[in-house]
Amino acid sequence: ATLEVAEGTIVHGNVGWANSRSARQNTTNWSLGIEHGTDFTVAADVYGDDRERPWVSAGVGVSLIEALSVNAAYAVQFVTPRVRVLSVGLKFKF
């Protein structure tokens, strides 16, 4: 579900279900987040599943031209020792 709460600002919530036949296991996935911007976007999310501790992430994205954008995000999982992820992406629309 996504809701625009102000001009250029959206909040979203997701919930999903995954089934692994090989592990014979069901998992519920979820996320809550907020994003602001159009050509330059900042975002923050909290997400996880029912089997592990949640993650928190923050990121930025920028549109370089109409069909090309770049983004970067940093996430930390609330476990010991801390698990950290840095991602950088490139999106080309065609």
Side-chain angles (χ1 to χ4, degrees):
T2 301
L3 177 66
E4 185 173 23
V5 294
E7 181 73 32
T9 302
I10 61 170
V11 294
H12 60 85
N14 300 295
V15 65
W17 173 76
N19 174 268
S20 171
R21 289 184 183 177
S22 63
R24 296 184 179 151
Q25 175 175 303
N26 293 316
T27 304
T28 302
N29 305 296
W30 58 272
S31 73
L32 300 170
I34 186 167
E35 298 177 29
H36 179 75
T38 52
D39 290 338
F40 179 79
T41 303
V42 294
D45 290 282
V46 177
Y47 58 94
D49 61 44
D50 61 344
R51 304 212 170 265
E52 295 183 346
R53 298 275 206 162
W55 291 77
V56 63
S57 70
V60 295
V62 70
S63 294
L64 302 175
I65 57 175
E66 185 176 336
L68 182 66
S69 63
V70 294
N71 60 69
Y74 181 74
V76 176
Q77 188 178 26
F78 293 105
V79 294
T80 304
R82 293 273 190 247
V83 178
R84 295 173 175 89
V85 174
L86 175 64
S87 64
V88 177
L90 175 71
K91 184 175 172 182
F92 180 68
K93 298 177 195 173
F94 57 93

